[in-house]
Amino acid sequence: MTEDHYRDQPLRPYVLTSGRAQPSRNWIGVDTLLIAAPGAEPLPVTASRQEIALLRMCSGLLSVAEAAAHLALPVSVVKVLASDLMDSGRLQTRSRAAMAPDLALLEEVLSGLRDLH
C-alpha cells in the first residue's frame, strides 16, 4: 500500500476520542446547543483538526447534530469532543428554553397577521 492510500482514509472514531465512548458530561444530547466561550484560551498545538473545526464553527450557536453533520462524524464522537472542549473552558452550552421567543412578541406578531387579513 502506498502512503497516498492511507492519506484519504478517515480516522476511526476511537482514535479521535482517545478510546473513549462516552463524554464526561452525560447530559449532552443531539439537540444541545454549543457556542465558543468568549475570551477562552486558544487550543494547544496538539489539538486535532476536528477539535479546531468544532470550536471554529461554534462561533455562533450550533447543535451537536448540526456539528456532527458539518464534520461528517458520528454524533457520539462530537459529544466526546464537545465535552472535552467544555472541560477545558473553550466551549459552552445554551438551553433551548433560553432561546425561546418572548410570548408578548409572538402575540404582537399574531395580532399583526390578523390585522393583515
Side-chain angles (χ1 to χ4, degrees):
M1 302 250 162
T2 67
E3 186 177 316
D4 290 337
H5 171 76
Y6 292 108
R7 189 174 302 141
D8 294 331
Q9 299 299 315
L11 292 174
R12 300 273 186 218
Y14 61 84
V15 173
L16 297 174
T17 63
S18 301
R20 292 168 295 139
Q22 297 293 322
S24 63
R25 298 162 186 264
N26 292 326
W27 50 264
I28 297 175
V30 296
D31 62 339
T32 299
L33 297 174
L34 306 171
I35 191 162
E41 300 238 347
L43 285 169
V45 294
T46 56
S48 70
R49 287 184 301 141
Q50 292 78 12
E51 288 173 311
I52 293 167
L54 177 59
L55 192 58
R56 191 172 290 146
M57 70 177 62
C58 288
S59 61
L61 279 176
L62 191 69
S63 73
V64 169
E66 290 169 313
H70 287 299
L71 293 170
L73 291 173
V75 170
S76 59
V77 171
V78 174
K79 285 181 176 183
V80 173
L81 296 176
S83 179
D84 290 348
L85 291 169
M86 283 188 273
D87 291 346
S88 70
R90 292 177 176 92
L91 198 61
Q92 298 175 340
T93 61
R94 294 286 185 259
S95 166
R96 283 220 182 264
M99 304 306 295
D102 180 36
L103 186 57
L105 175 64
L106 290 176
E107 288 175 355
E108 283 183 46
V109 170
L110 181 59
S111 176
L113 289 172
R114 285 185 179 143
D115 291 343
L116 291 174
H117 187 28

